[in-house]
Amino acid sequence: MEISEMLAKLTLEEKVSLLSGQDFWSTTPLPSIGLRSMVVSDGPSGVRGPVWDERDPSLSLPSATAIASTWDTELLKEVGRVMAFEARRKGVDVVLGPTINLHRSPLGGRHFECFSEDPYLSGKLAAGFVQGIQAKGVGATLKHYVANDSETDRYTLNAVVSEKTLRELYLKAFEIAIEESKPWLVMSAYNSVNGPTMTENPLLDEPLKGEWKFDGVVISDWTAVRTTVDAGNASNDLAMPGPYTPWGAALVAAVNKGKVSMAAIDAKVERLLLMAQRVGGFGPAPKPENLSNEFIQDFARKASSAGAVLLKNSDALPLAKEVSIAVIGGHASAGREQGGGSATVVPVEVITPLVGISAASKAKISYAMGVEADSKLTRFSARNAINTMTKKPGMQIEAFDENGVLIHSEERFAGQLNWMAIDWVFRTKSLKVSLTYTPDEDGKHQFGVGYVGPVTITQDGAKILDTDVLPDTDDIGGAVLNPPEVRVDRELKKGVATELVFEFQTGGLDIPVIACNVGFKKPVGTLQQERERAVAIAKTSDVSIVFVGTTPAIESEGFDRTDLKLPEGQDELVKAVAAVSKKTIVVINAGSPILMPWKNDVDAILLTWFPGQQMGNAIADILFGEAEPGGRLPTTWPDKESDLPVRDVTPVKGILEYKEGSDIGYRAWIKSGNKPSFAFGYGLGYTTWKKELLSNEWNKGLNLEVSVRNSGSRSGSDVVQIYGAPESNLTNKKLLGFAKVFASAGEKKSVSISIAAHSFDFWESGWVRKSGSWKIWIASSALDESLAVNVEVQ
């Protein structure tokens, strides 16, 4: 049946019912036209599915900054293909990703979930991802449209951005991805831009649906639709989550009263029906492609090493497998494979760096924590807790109604617990988590919870904590995804089991969600004691590998960073180890830039970002030379925080002014004359490269032919980066093109890069060609000016 025929059959009430979600993660079905409910899922770096549950695990791929570091659009297509497999395996029709907001400032808390500071790189990578996933019939969602580049007051801030800046930067990433990949959805953001909130903003009409001819669905970020009439008349098509949105019966009434036009309703419904056709919504959910687990795990491992960036290497890497190694740092034994927030997935297993290195090495491996990876609670799991009722690994969950009647019970195997808009959640007034814990050492332990609302903890029948936990943020997402913790100290004896009951009074959140964490902390020495243990093993080993990184309290959804420092004790640990070690390698496990005051004291620095569940194997592959670190930086890393071009991520009286205009990232660094620690596009490898410009020709755009020779002794990859600026203003430099190149030792390849004529345009109340002489750099980073040519732009 044609969409026009279906639309003609529907009543107003049926049409409006389609415009709000059926629940938290699915759309409303309409059997009269054969339309089933379609499932959407968070998933920039994995597909969680409609439940947040370790019993339904997901593949955890490298984070967006890691994937972006590959500068490899073909790899992004493969990421999309694997994500489509995961989506169909979990019954998901639409993946809510990729995130293509820009790295306006490294203080942005969700930096790790976005590709780059550059709109061209972001748009090209997003296009590859979208092409890969939609080729398999799963919808992709570009988000968050637009200027949602920081987290503080994200629901209410008004981003004040000039039209020039919007067009040249923040809209440009979306424009490129839409033009090249035709995504089936775009997500409207929480924030306002130049006044109207984004679910009601004219930018949804122009340029999105008008000039760019986007024919897909505009889906709101969760709870971002706030009004009936204004949002109803605007071009946001689907309000999520449902069914409790400002639309429904109120929107029907508004149409009947003439406050919202029927044409506006029909336009939304037409787009939803087109999306349903595209994802197979008028029949049974399609089956996944036949990909083996071996293929999936191997891909995750290779993608991780492809995105790792070698920042420094003074003949320290790769390592021989016969050298003795001191592995140091909490991130080695409990690293972060992914960022926090709604992007979180629950993998079956995470290979830690310590496990990966130990498996690959042929010599002695020593380990010292040095500094904890995270001061937060370690969540209980089937590895460390016994279900008090079943006596099996895990914990027991019991939900009670207002009369104390048991209405739901389940066994769980991990201590991060989230239930969203499930029937029994609406009726639950209290929730119990019961488990037995047996310590493996004497000393002061801690038991605690992450929660908002009243909570008690009982140990062996005695109440040890009774408190009401208040939210530490106004951000409802932050309260759900990263709730505040409370804990209590307890002296325990090794091998002596203790029974624990955590009881939560529900209703502390304004949405039908129960979100709580239950956890513990083992005894830990002082920073000095732990550092001394690390120094001791460093002295007796051939090489020391120190793992450092951020924590969920630094990088996650719902808040921004206050500075770029590593957590307390990590810088001191690196310096102490480097002072005594024969050779020191630092591995950085972070999703965004950090400061490195020890940069000159160590022999090698490897940036792995948040590398996904195969992190340990991928890191070992790189360290021992089985794989090359193939990444190049998608964002500038500063040397000093005072040099940051943009520090302002906090609105003032609800307004966040983008005063810097287009001067963010490398563009701003070039204009300021300040030198960053590592430039945009920078990255080493295990081989060397020589480039030569063979030809350049203008023919409705600039066509370059570049010779790239692997001048080293092993196979590897490089990224040819093309930057340009008008001769009249050489500091106005921007990325115009790039190409990923793979070559064996001694091999020479010829690379063709075509740059469209519109790439030489600037926005001056419309796109205007900057004709005349331009300098073009064939480079290895934004600051590399060793090879250049002048061209005439027509």
Side-chain angles (χ1 to χ4, degrees), residues 509-524:
L509 301 173
D510 294 330
I511 54 177
V513 171
I514 299 175
C516 56
N517 303 325
V518 293
F520 67 100
K521 291 292 283 187
K522 289 184 175 183
V524 177

mmCIF file with all atom_site columns, all heavy atoms in Angstrom, residues 509-524:
data_model
loop_
_atom_site.group_PDB
_atom_site.id
_atom_site.type_symbol
_atom_site.label_atom_id
_atom_site.label_alt_id
_atom_site.label_comp_id
_atom_site.label_asym_id
_atom_site.label_entity_id
_atom_site.label_seq_id
_atom_site.pdbx_PDB_ins_code
_atom_site.Cartn_x
_atom_site.Cartn_y
_atom_site.Cartn_z
_atom_site.occupancy
_atom_site.B_iso_or_equiv
_atom_site.pdbx_formal_charge
_atom_site.auth_seq_id
_atom_site.auth_comp_id
_atom_site.auth_asym_id
_atom_site.auth_atom_id
_atom_site.pdbx_PDB_model_num
ATOM 1   N N   . LEU A 1 509 ? 12.619 9.869  41.322 1.00 0.00 ? 509 LEU A N   1
ATOM 2   C CA  . LEU A 1 509 ? 12.782 10.489 40.009 1.00 0.00 ? 509 LEU A CA  1
ATOM 3   C C   . LEU A 1 509 ? 11.411 10.824 39.429 1.00 0.00 ? 509 LEU A C   1
ATOM 4   O O   . LEU A 1 509 ? 10.412 10.188 39.772 1.00 0.00 ? 509 LEU A O   1
ATOM 5   C CB  . LEU A 1 509 ? 13.529 9.542  39.071 1.00 0.00 ? 509 LEU A CB  1
ATOM 6   C CG  . LEU A 1 509 ? 14.935 9.113  39.521 1.00 0.00 ? 509 LEU A CG  1
ATOM 7   C CD1 . LEU A 1 509 ? 15.475 8.039  38.593 1.00 0.00 ? 509 LEU A CD1 1
ATOM 8   C CD2 . LEU A 1 509 ? 15.875 10.307 39.567 1.00 0.00 ? 509 LEU A CD2 1
ATOM 9   N N   . ASP A 1 510 ? 11.375 11.799 38.546 1.00 0.00 ? 510 ASP A N   1
ATOM 10  C CA  . ASP A 1 510 ? 10.107 12.240 37.959 1.00 0.00 ? 510 ASP A CA  1
ATOM 11  C C   . ASP A 1 510 ? 9.718  11.433 36.729 1.00 0.00 ? 510 ASP A C   1
ATOM 12  O O   . ASP A 1 510 ? 8.792  11.807 36.010 1.00 0.00 ? 510 ASP A O   1
ATOM 13  C CB  . ASP A 1 510 ? 10.189 13.729 37.587 1.00 0.00 ? 510 ASP A CB  1
ATOM 14  C CG  . ASP A 1 510 ? 10.337 14.619 38.818 1.00 0.00 ? 510 ASP A CG  1
ATOM 15  O OD1 . ASP A 1 510 ? 9.825  14.217 39.885 1.00 0.00 ? 510 ASP A OD1 1
ATOM 16  O OD2 . ASP A 1 510 ? 10.951 15.685 38.695 1.00 0.00 ? 510 ASP A OD2 1
ATOM 17  N N   . ILE A 1 511 ? 10.426 10.347 36.470 1.00 0.00 ? 511 ILE A N   1
ATOM 18  C CA  . ILE A 1 511 ? 10.122 9.498  35.323 1.00 0.00 ? 511 ILE A CA  1
ATOM 19  C C   . ILE A 1 511 ? 10.004 8.052  35.799 1.00 0.00 ? 511 ILE A C   1
ATOM 20  O O   . ILE A 1 511 ? 10.535 7.698  36.851 1.00 0.00 ? 511 ILE A O   1
ATOM 21  C CB  . ILE A 1 511 ? 11.214 9.617  34.233 1.00 0.00 ? 511 ILE A CB  1
ATOM 22  C CG1 . ILE A 1 511 ? 12.604 9.325  34.819 1.00 0.00 ? 511 ILE A CG1 1
ATOM 23  C CG2 . ILE A 1 511 ? 11.186 10.993 33.597 1.00 0.00 ? 511 ILE A CG2 1
ATOM 24  C CD1 . ILE A 1 511 ? 13.716 9.348  33.798 1.00 0.00 ? 511 ILE A CD1 1
ATOM 25  N N   . PRO A 1 512 ? 9.280  7.190  35.054 1.00 0.00 ? 512 PRO A N   1
ATOM 26  C CA  . PRO A 1 512 ? 9.061  5.807  35.485 1.00 0.00 ? 512 PRO A CA  1
ATOM 27  C C   . PRO A 1 512 ? 10.301 4.934  35.302 1.00 0.00 ? 512 PRO A C   1
ATOM 28  O O   . PRO A 1 512 ? 10.360 4.054  34.442 1.00 0.00 ? 512 PRO A O   1
ATOM 29  C CB  . PRO A 1 512 ? 7.901  5.343  34.594 1.00 0.00 ? 512 PRO A CB  1
ATOM 30  C CG  . PRO A 1 512 ? 8.052  6.149  33.348 1.00 0.00 ? 512 PRO A CG  1
ATOM 31  C CD  . PRO A 1 512 ? 8.565  7.487  33.788 1.00 0.00 ? 512 PRO A CD  1
ATOM 32  N N   . VAL A 1 513 ? 11.319 5.226  36.111 1.00 0.00 ? 513 VAL A N   1
ATOM 33  C CA  . VAL A 1 513 ? 12.594 4.531  36.025 1.00 0.00 ? 513 VAL A CA  1
ATOM 34  C C   . VAL A 1 513 ? 13.066 4.189  37.436 1.00 0.00 ? 513 VAL A C   1
ATOM 35  O O   . VAL A 1 513 ? 12.938 5.003  38.349 1.00 0.00 ? 513 VAL A O   1
ATOM 36  C CB  . VAL A 1 513 ? 13.658 5.415  35.326 1.00 0.00 ? 513 VAL A CB  1
ATOM 37  C CG1 . VAL A 1 513 ? 15.048 4.794  35.436 1.00 0.00 ? 513 VAL A CG1 1
ATOM 38  C CG2 . VAL A 1 513 ? 13.306 5.634  33.870 1.00 0.00 ? 513 VAL A CG2 1
ATOM 39  N N   . ILE A 1 514 ? 13.578 2.991  37.625 1.00 0.00 ? 514 ILE A N   1
ATOM 40  C CA  . ILE A 1 514 ? 14.317 2.642  38.829 1.00 0.00 ? 514 ILE A CA  1
ATOM 41  C C   . ILE A 1 514 ? 15.760 2.448  38.417 1.00 0.00 ? 514 ILE A C   1
ATOM 42  O O   . ILE A 1 514 ? 16.064 1.606  37.574 1.00 0.00 ? 514 ILE A O   1
ATOM 43  C CB  . ILE A 1 514 ? 13.775 1.366  39.500 1.00 0.00 ? 514 ILE A CB  1
ATOM 44  C CG1 . ILE A 1 514 ? 12.320 1.547  39.916 1.00 0.00 ? 514 ILE A CG1 1
ATOM 45  C CG2 . ILE A 1 514 ? 14.628 1.007  40.717 1.00 0.00 ? 514 ILE A CG2 1
ATOM 46  C CD1 . ILE A 1 514 ? 11.681 0.277  40.484 1.00 0.00 ? 514 ILE A CD1 1
ATOM 47  N N   . ALA A 1 515 ? 16.647 3.249  38.970 1.00 0.00 ? 515 ALA A N   1
ATOM 48  C CA  . ALA A 1 515 ? 18.057 3.193  38.625 1.00 0.00 ? 515 ALA A CA  1
ATOM 49  C C   . ALA A 1 515 ? 18.875 3.197  39.911 1.00 0.00 ? 515 ALA A C   1
ATOM 50  O O   . ALA A 1 515 ? 18.824 4.159  40.683 1.00 0.00 ? 515 ALA A O   1
ATOM 51  C CB  . ALA A 1 515 ? 18.447 4.381  37.746 1.00 0.00 ? 515 ALA A CB  1
ATOM 52  N N   . CYS A 1 516 ? 19.592 2.109  40.165 1.00 0.00 ? 516 CYS A N   1
ATOM 53  C CA  . CYS A 1 516 ? 20.400 2.025  41.378 1.00 0.00 ? 516 CYS A CA  1
ATOM 54  C C   . CYS A 1 516 ? 21.622 1.150  41.120 1.00 0.00 ? 516 CYS A C   1
ATOM 55  O O   . CYS A 1 516 ? 21.607 0.267  40.258 1.00 0.00 ? 516 CYS A O   1
ATOM 56  C CB  . CYS A 1 516 ? 19.590 1.482  42.555 1.00 0.00 ? 516 CYS A CB  1
ATOM 57  S SG  . CYS A 1 516 ? 18.817 -0.115 42.261 1.00 0.00 ? 516 CYS A SG  1
ATOM 58  N N   . ASN A 1 517 ? 22.677 1.409  41.865 1.00 0.00 ? 517 ASN A N   1
ATOM 59  C CA  . ASN A 1 517 ? 23.882 0.597  41.820 1.00 0.00 ? 517 ASN A CA  1
ATOM 60  C C   . ASN A 1 517 ? 24.171 0.085  43.226 1.00 0.00 ? 517 ASN A C   1
ATOM 61  O O   . ASN A 1 517 ? 23.973 0.813  44.207 1.00 0.00 ? 517 ASN A O   1
ATOM 62  C CB  . ASN A 1 517 ? 25.092 1.413  41.343 1.00 0.00 ? 517 ASN A CB  1
ATOM 63  C CG  . ASN A 1 517 ? 24.872 2.045  39.991 1.00 0.00 ? 517 ASN A CG  1
ATOM 64  O OD1 . ASN A 1 517 ? 24.221 1.469  39.138 1.00 0.00 ? 517 ASN A OD1 1
ATOM 65  N ND2 . ASN A 1 517 ? 25.417 3.240  39.795 1.00 0.00 ? 517 ASN A ND2 1
ATOM 66  N N   . VAL A 1 518 ? 24.631 -1.150 43.352 1.00 0.00 ? 518 VAL A N   1
ATOM 67  C CA  . VAL A 1 518 ? 25.059 -1.689 44.645 1.00 0.00 ? 518 VAL A CA  1
ATOM 68  C C   . VAL A 1 518 ? 26.507 -2.142 44.499 1.00 0.00 ? 518 VAL A C   1
ATOM 69  O O   . VAL A 1 518 ? 26.875 -2.776 43.499 1.00 0.00 ? 518 VAL A O   1
ATOM 70  C CB  . VAL A 1 518 ? 24.167 -2.855 45.110 1.00 0.00 ? 518 VAL A CB  1
ATOM 71  C CG1 . VAL A 1 518 ? 22.769 -2.348 45.418 1.00 0.00 ? 518 VAL A CG1 1
ATOM 72  C CG2 . VAL A 1 518 ? 24.087 -3.985 44.099 1.00 0.00 ? 518 VAL A CG2 1
ATOM 73  N N   . GLY A 1 519 ? 27.350 -1.785 45.484 1.00 0.00 ? 519 GLY A N   1
ATOM 74  C CA  . GLY A 1 519 ? 28.756 -2.092 45.319 1.00 0.00 ? 519 GLY A CA  1
ATOM 75  C C   . GLY A 1 519 ? 29.533 -2.101 46.611 1.00 0.00 ? 519 GLY A C   1
ATOM 76  O O   . GLY A 1 519 ? 28.989 -1.956 47.713 1.00 0.00 ? 519 GLY A O   1
ATOM 77  N N   . PHE A 1 520 ? 30.849 -2.247 46.464 1.00 0.00 ? 520 PHE A N   1
ATOM 78  C CA  . PHE A 1 520 ? 31.740 -2.364 47.617 1.00 0.00 ? 520 PHE A CA  1
ATOM 79  C C   . PHE A 1 520 ? 33.105 -1.799 47.235 1.00 0.00 ? 520 PHE A C   1
ATOM 80  O O   . PHE A 1 520 ? 33.399 -1.560 46.064 1.00 0.00 ? 520 PHE A O   1
ATOM 81  C CB  . PHE A 1 520 ? 31.881 -3.830 48.034 1.00 0.00 ? 520 PHE A CB  1
ATOM 82  C CG  . PHE A 1 520 ? 32.600 -4.687 47.014 1.00 0.00 ? 520 PHE A CG  1
ATOM 83  C CD1 . PHE A 1 520 ? 33.944 -5.012 47.175 1.00 0.00 ? 520 PHE A CD1 1
ATOM 84  C CD2 . PHE A 1 520 ? 31.943 -5.147 45.874 1.00 0.00 ? 520 PHE A CD2 1
ATOM 85  C CE1 . PHE A 1 520 ? 34.612 -5.783 46.237 1.00 0.00 ? 520 PHE A CE1 1
ATOM 86  C CE2 . PHE A 1 520 ? 32.603 -5.927 44.933 1.00 0.00 ? 520 PHE A CE2 1
ATOM 87  C CZ  . PHE A 1 520 ? 33.944 -6.244 45.103 1.00 0.00 ? 520 PHE A CZ  1
ATOM 88  N N   . LYS A 1 521 ? 33.946 -1.595 48.234 1.00 0.00 ? 521 LYS A N   1
ATOM 89  C CA  . LYS A 1 521 ? 35.347 -1.244 48.011 1.00 0.00 ? 521 LYS A CA  1
ATOM 90  C C   . LYS A 1 521 ? 36.203 -2.103 48.925 1.00 0.00 ? 521 LYS A C   1
ATOM 91  O O   . LYS A 1 521 ? 35.925 -2.269 50.106 1.00 0.00 ? 521 LYS A O   1
ATOM 92  C CB  . LYS A 1 521 ? 35.614 0.227  48.342 1.00 0.00 ? 521 LYS A CB  1
ATOM 93  C CG  . LYS A 1 521 ? 34.975 1.212  47.391 1.00 0.00 ? 521 LYS A CG  1
ATOM 94  C CD  . LYS A 1 521 ? 35.562 1.183  46.007 1.00 0.00 ? 521 LYS A CD  1
ATOM 95  C CE  . LYS A 1 521 ? 36.890 1.870  45.908 1.00 0.00 ? 521 LYS A CE  1
ATOM 96  N NZ  . LYS A 1 521 ? 37.358 1.971  44.495 1.00 0.00 ? 521 LYS A NZ  1
ATOM 97  N N   . LYS A 1 522 ? 37.269 -2.658 48.353 1.00 0.00 ? 522 LYS A N   1
ATOM 98  C CA  . LYS A 1 522 ? 38.233 -3.417 49.139 1.00 0.00 ? 522 LYS A CA  1
ATOM 99  C C   . LYS A 1 522 ? 39.206 -2.459 49.836 1.00 0.00 ? 522 LYS A C   1
ATOM 100 O O   . LYS A 1 522 ? 39.322 -1.291 49.453 1.00 0.00 ? 522 LYS A O   1
ATOM 101 C CB  . LYS A 1 522 ? 39.021 -4.359 48.230 1.00 0.00 ? 522 LYS A CB  1
ATOM 102 C CG  . LYS A 1 522 ? 38.231 -5.532 47.695 1.00 0.00 ? 522 LYS A CG  1
ATOM 103 C CD  . LYS A 1 522 ? 39.163 -6.439 46.901 1.00 0.00 ? 522 LYS A CD  1
ATOM 104 C CE  . LYS A 1 522 ? 38.451 -7.696 46.450 1.00 0.00 ? 522 LYS A CE  1
ATOM 105 N NZ  . LYS A 1 522 ? 39.386 -8.617 45.740 1.00 0.00 ? 522 LYS A NZ  1
ATOM 106 N N   . PRO A 1 523 ? 39.938 -2.965 50.822 1.00 0.00 ? 523 PRO A N   1
ATOM 107 C CA  . PRO A 1 523 ? 40.948 -2.112 51.471 1.00 0.00 ? 523 PRO A CA  1
ATOM 108 C C   . PRO A 1 523 ? 41.997 -1.640 50.461 1.00 0.00 ? 523 PRO A C   1
ATOM 109 O O   . PRO A 1 523 ? 42.431 -2.407 49.598 1.00 0.00 ? 523 PRO A O   1
ATOM 110 C CB  . PRO A 1 523 ? 41.578 -3.052 52.504 1.00 0.00 ? 523 PRO A CB  1
ATOM 111 C CG  . PRO A 1 523 ? 40.557 -4.102 52.768 1.00 0.00 ? 523 PRO A CG  1
ATOM 112 C CD  . PRO A 1 523 ? 39.833 -4.288 51.471 1.00 0.00 ? 523 PRO A CD  1
ATOM 113 N N   . VAL A 1 524 ? 42.351 -0.378 50.552 1.00 0.00 ? 524 VAL A N   1
ATOM 114 C CA  . VAL A 1 524 ? 43.336 0.222  49.658 1.00 0.00 ? 524 VAL A CA  1
ATOM 115 C C   . VAL A 1 524 ? 44.322 1.013  50.500 1.00 0.00 ? 524 VAL A C   1
ATOM 116 O O   . VAL A 1 524 ? 43.925 1.695  51.456 1.00 0.00 ? 524 VAL A O   1
ATOM 117 C CB  . VAL A 1 524 ? 42.659 1.143  48.620 1.00 0.00 ? 524 VAL A CB  1
ATOM 118 C CG1 . VAL A 1 524 ? 43.697 1.815  47.742 1.00 0.00 ? 524 VAL A CG1 1
ATOM 119 C CG2 . VAL A 1 524 ? 41.677 0.370  47.763 1.00 0.00 ? 524 VAL A CG2 1
#
